[in-house]
Amino acid sequence: MNFQAQRERMVDQQIVRRGVRNRHVLDAMRKIPREQFVADELREFAYEDSPLPIAAGQTISQPYIVALMMDAAEICPADRVMEIGAGSGYAAAVAGAVASRVYAIERHAELTALANGRLQRLGYTNVEVRTGDGTAGWAEAAPFDVILAAAGGPSVPEVLLKQLAPGGRLVMPVGDSRRKQHLIKVTRRGQDDYEQEDLGPVLFVPLIGEHGWAAQEGDAPAVVEKAYQERDGDAAVIQIRRAAEPLPALNGYAPDDDAFGRAFDRFSSAQVVLLGESTHGTSEFYRARAAITRRLVEAHGFNIVAVEADWPDAAAIDRYIRHRSSESDPEVVFQRFPTWMWRNTDVDDFVHWLRDHNATRDADHQVGFHGLDLYSLNRSIRAVIDYLDRVDPETAGIARERYSCLTPWARDPAGYGRMALNKGYAVCEEAVTDMLRELLERRLEFVGDQNDYLDAEQNARLVRSAEAYYRAMYYGSAESWNLRDTHMFEILRQLLAARGQDAKAVVWAHNSHIGDARHTEMGQLREELNLGQLCRQHLPGPVALIGFGTHTGTVAAASNWDSPMKVMEVRPSLEGSYERACHQAGIGRFLLDMREDEDRTELREALMGPRLERFIGVIYRPDTERFSHYAEAVLPQQFDAFVWFDTSRAVEALPGKSRPGVPETYPFGL
Ligand code: SAH
């Protein structure tokens, strides 16, 4: 593994881009081997944009936070620095590389020993870590030019202020809850003259000590399985067992076989029902969502199915299930990695059911099938131009011209983002925005089928979002994630608007898109939002967010991006996770309704967590499962309901061969 390159990237992408300018800090972070400050099995994650677990249930801070604090403290070479909460020793090493002397205090002797060992090995002679309560400071070594606290307390201890040199700066997370703080900077202007600034919301582990919080159970952050283990066999299991409603088996599409779907009738008053999945390759999740969708369509008038797939692929399915001919040759769809996510036997069955359902209905009463995702830049460009070629060749010429800005990047849209970034401006933004605006303004002029217009409009929207998405990729993951989920929400809103008063939608997407991000690490640590959250916040009508989970079984996934699909064993869920509690409840298949209600107060309280939750996408890495696939969440706030399959099996990818009896227009190209 090339750590030097990762280090450079970390500094450029996570730190410089976010505005940290202190040369000394940037230079130090380009040099210090952060991978040596974490356990061996976590080395490959050492340069990720996040905190990581270290011993004693603590964390090594996110690189950006280390840089931000030192930048705020205006640390420079002559400074004497005190750090409270040395943890891994990484921040102390950065400070040591910049300043003249560093005094670091750590509460856990185990961590002090590890940190001192690392610092010694790396040749530091100006950094000392000792075990103790840092809230009292280090009187013998005072005064300090810089005091940094790597853990959050209820207030800035008076004793620490007294240990600041004139002109000295203290940076510390402060908050009245143990789990949420604001980063505060105090500058000592004179003997009793302190100036205070608020640098914004942050999330640190608690500062435990005389002038901090009292030690108590549950102090350790989520990354500590041990704390959870002790709590296990707990109220959550008992409450789940009490509240879980066993579900019938998932069979097929026989007319009288709708018991599974009926269990979800209670959500039918929602305008949008969002159905999640905790992997992209579990058959039960697809079949359950198909059964629920079928019931919502047949019995409750739902008329839109919107899925986490690219618009043009889904549009081909939509034409097929609505018995509309395609203007161009039927395209073989879902060819981009991960193909099995949609090209699988469960989706195939569902598509055929949709087609049958629509067969006897007029266009206004048919169900539509649509894609919310934005990874089809090229095909969407082509679709807009093809459409205009048919209805307005002159405008097609203008579209060609405008989109030509992106054509050189057809094969490598990420390269476009890089180039735009280097030039320092959004090279094609205006062209793609103008194209969308023109389509919208002139919609009434275009002749022909309204569905074709809507298709072109969404493709133009996709091109506009994708242009911004590929640029945002270089500003860090939160921005591009947010753009993607905002795009999904925008498309969903367009779909609802196009159907008018009667619009009711079912959405299929991963739990990470559907479970309200404000109640997971995504929103709380990384400022990420998602589709489920946006629906709750901005749709006028009620919505239902339904998550899915499993304990063990098999899953279709790849080891790396673009690698072949494999059927892998899903490891049993971790102690202390929501999944483990569901497993311990001992019911193979159930629905857990968690909506606020008098009868459910105890259930909700017992589940309030936060606890770990498993997220498997198209990549599954069982060896590093804890860090690749688990994150903290508060289940009853994240979802309205949770659907459980204790054991589950992998989806079956569709074969490439043709099948007798399937119409030639069938977009799966079988
Ligand atoms: N700078 C560290 C961050 C460690 S997390 C790094 O990058 O690795 C914060 C640390 O503060 C934890 O290790 C925790 O044990 C420690 N801590 C909490 N309260 C403390 C106190 N009163 N005195 C000293 N250390 C404390």
Side-chain angles (χ1 to χ4, degrees):
M1 210 161 298
N2 183 349
F3 288 122
Q4 182 60 44
Q6 290 192 29
R7 204 141 50 224
E8 295 285 343
R9 270 189 45 186
M10 169 189 84
V11 173
D12 289 340
Q13 299 190 358
Q14 301 170 27
I15 297 173
V16 176
R17 289 244 196 288
R18 288 180 176 135
V20 172
R21 291 288 172 265
N22 187 317
R23 273 281 112 239
H24 308 297
V25 174
L26 298 178
D27 287 348
M29 292 183 76
R30 281 188 212 281
K31 282 203 296 263
I32 296 170
R34 185 171 159 90
E35 74 279 4
Q36 295 191 26
F37 289 82
V38 297
D40 285 351
E41 65 275 17
L42 293 183
R43 290 196 165 190
E44 65 169 302
F45 304 106
Y47 294 95
E48 304 247 302
D49 196 8
S50 68
L52 293 172
I54 55 177
Q58 302 301 316
T59 58
I60 175 174
S61 306
Q62 177 193 17
Y64 169 62
I65 280 290
V66 173
L68 173 73
M69 292 183 75
M70 300 212 188
D71 194 37
E74 299 161 57
I75 191 169
C76 58
D79 284 348
R80 292 163 53 77
V81 179
M82 170 166 71
E83 193 204 9
I84 302 165
S88 66
Y90 176 71
V94 175
V98 175
S100 74
R101 218 134 155 88
V102 179
Y103 300 86
I105 311 174
E106 171 52 51
R107 194 173 154 248
H108 292 284
E110 178 191 0
L111 292 176
T112 306
L114 282 168
N116 274 323
R118 289 167 182 144
L119 291 162
Q120 233 163 47
R121 240 177 300 128
L122 292 169
Y124 283 90
T125 52
N126 65 335
V127 183
E128 184 184 338
V129 186
R130 76 168 192 199
T131 306
D133 176 5
T135 62
W138 190 321
E140 312 89 88
F144 303 103
D145 303 295
V146 168
I147 297 179
L148 302 168
S155 61
V156 180
E158 198 70 23
V159 277
L160 295 182
L161 293 177
K162 296 280 177 257
Q163 293 179 18
L164 273 180
R169 290 85 57 198
L170 171 146
V171 177
M172 171 177 174
V174 176
D176 28 326
S177 125
R178 292 168 171 251
R179 301 194 47 86
K180 263 196 171 149
Q181 307 93 10
H182 274 233
L183 198 59
I184 300 296
K185 172 179 180 181
V186 181
T187 307
R188 185 169 197 176
R189 294 279 176 224
Q191 183 57 26
D192 288 307
D193 180 9
Y194 298 95
E195 186 184 297
Q196 183 166 325
E197 282 166 74
D198 185 339
L199 307 176
V202 284
L203 216 151
F204 281 75
V205 298
L207 181 71
I208 311 289
E210 192 189 340
H211 305 284
W213 298 103
Q216 72 166 37
E217 207 202 329
D219 272 334
V223 284
V224 195
E225 279 99 323
K226 235 174 106 221
Y228 286 120
Q229 277 169 25
E230 285 158 11
R231 254 176 35 190
D232 229 4
D234 53 0
V237 177
I238 298 164
Q239 290 298 330
I240 292 172
R241 199 174 290 143
R242 192 172 291 162
E245 300 169 49
L247 287 166
L250 278 164
N251 293 323
Y253 291 88
D256 56 352
D257 188 7
D258 56 2
F260 193 98
R262 278 175 191 276
F264 295 80
D265 281 350
R266 71 194 77 184
F267 301 109
S268 62
S269 58
Q271 190 190 17
V272 181
V273 174
L274 297 99
L275 303 176
E277 57 182 348
S278 65
T279 84
H280 279 314
T282 300
S283 174
E284 280 76 3
F285 299 157
Y286 285 88
R287 287 183 291 140
R289 293 183 299 178
I292 299 164
T293 306
R294 177 184 159 207
R295 175 72 188 167
L296 291 173
V297 166
E298 284 181 339
H300 305 288
F302 280 68
N303 47 18
I304 295 166
V305 178
V307 305
E308 184 189 342
D310 295 332
W311 178 272
D313 287 327
I317 301 286
D318 185 58
R319 281 191 293 274
Y320 177 72
I321 64 166
R322 295 165 86 171
H323 306 264
R324 293 170 52 215
S325 62
S326 166
E327 293 285 343
S328 40
D329 288 337
E331 202 182 352
V332 179
V333 297
F334 303 119
Q335 296 291 328
R336 137 182 109 72
F337 178 90
T339 51
W340 67 92
M341 190 171 149
W342 297 108
R343 288 181 69 82
N344 64 55
T345 53
D346 300 322
V347 173
D348 185 36
D349 291 342
F350 180 56
V351 165
H352 283 103
W353 174 79
L354 284 167
R355 183 173 158 95
D356 289 346
H357 171 84
N358 282 341
T360 52
R361 288 171 170 79
D362 61 49
D364 287 343
H365 296 93
Q366 288 179 335
V367 183
F369 185 88
H370 307 281
L372 300 175
D373 222 334
L374 49 58
Y375 292 107
S376 57
L377 182 59
N378 278 312
R379 274 175 311 141
S380 291
I381 288 178
R382 218 171 49 217
V384 176
I385 293 175
D386 284 353
Y387 169 74
L388 289 169
D389 271 339
R390 294 196 302 271
V391 302
D392 183 349
E394 203 176 312
T395 310
I398 297 172
R400 279 199 173 83
E401 173 90 0
R402 285 187 173 137
Y403 287 152
S404 69
C405 179
L406 286 168
T407 355
W409 307 97
R411 279 174 185 287
D412 173 27
Y416 164 73
R418 210 156 43 234
M419 180 276 291
L421 194 67
N422 288 336
K423 294 213 163 165
Y425 65 97
V427 191
C428 305
E429 184 183 25
E430 205 177 307
V432 299
T433 312
D434 287 350
M435 196 61 238
L436 173 60
R437 189 179 317 119
E438 177 155 1
L439 276 183
L440 292 171
E441 282 169 1
R442 297 186 44 210
R443 65 186 304 165
L444 296 177
E445 294 170 34
F446 300 119
V447 291
D449 188 337
Q450 193 56 22
N451 285 311
D452 289 341
Y453 168 77
L454 286 176
D455 182 57
E457 177 190 317
Q458 302 319 337
N459 277 307
R461 220 177 272 286
L462 189 151
V463 176
R464 198 256 347 246
S465 296
E467 188 273 340
Y469 175 83
Y470 288 111
R471 275 189 287 115
M473 266 178 25
Y474 289 90
Y475 292 100
S477 56
E479 282 88 343
S480 53
W481 172 274
N482 289 351
L483 255 161
R484 183 174 167 217
D485 273 53
T486 307
H487 171 81
M488 290 186 179
F489 179 63
E490 198 186 336
I491 297 287
L492 178 63
R493 222 169 11 185
Q494 296 299 326
L495 291 170
L496 292 168
R499 278 279 179 153
Q501 288 280 298
D502 302 330
K504 291 184 89 137
V506 188
V507 173
W508 293 21
H510 196 274
N511 282 352
S512 54
H513 293 295
I514 278 177
D516 190 331
R518 290 170 297 181
H519 306 289
T520 68
E521 275 183 22
M522 294 166 60
Q524 296 188 342
L525 294 180
R526 298 200 294 273
E527 294 177 14
E528 287 172 356
L529 47 74
N530 69 5
L531 180 59
Q533 167 187 350
L534 293 171
C535 286
R536 271 189 180 166
Q537 288 177 310
H538 302 297
L539 287 181
V543 300
L545 310 184
I546 303 178
F548 287 67
T550 186
H551 172 61
T552 190
T554 57
V555 66
S559 297
N560 291 296
W561 196 257
D562 272 339
S563 301
M565 185 203 98
K566 291 186 282 195
V567 173
M568 300 191 221
E569 302 280 332
V570 176
R571 293 176 69 166
S573 59
L574 281 184
E575 294 274 3
S577 62
Y578 281 114
E579 284 85 353
R580 180 50 80 93
C582 289
H583 171 65
Q584 288 178 333
I587 304 166
R589 201 169 43 232
F590 63 77
L591 166 63
L592 190 64
D593 190 338
M594 302 181 289
R595 290 172 300 172
E596 258 176 85
D597 183 274
E598 235 174 86
D599 294 345
R600 289 191 280 263
T601 316
E602 277 178 274
L603 170 74
R604 285 173 56 85
E605 269 171 17
L607 291 179
M608 255 335 156
R611 287 178 184 234
L612 296 175
E613 182 180 322
R614 181 159 55 193
F615 295 82
I616 300 175
V618 293
I619 312 287
Y620 183 43
R621 299 204 169 123
D623 296 343
T624 57
E625 199 193 35
R626 166 63 188 85
F627 306 104
S628 304
H629 299 293
Y630 279 89
E632 257 199 339
V634 181
L635 199 74
Q637 294 179 318
Q638 184 189 11
F639 297 114
D640 296 302
F642 198 58
V643 179
W644 182 252
F645 293 95
D646 203 59
T647 51
S648 55
R649 61 174 176 76
V651 292
E652 223 174 289
L654 285 175
K657 289 190 252 85
S658 71
R659 258 183 2 184
V662 171
E664 257 174 39
T665 51
Y666 185 46
F668 278 167
L670 292 174

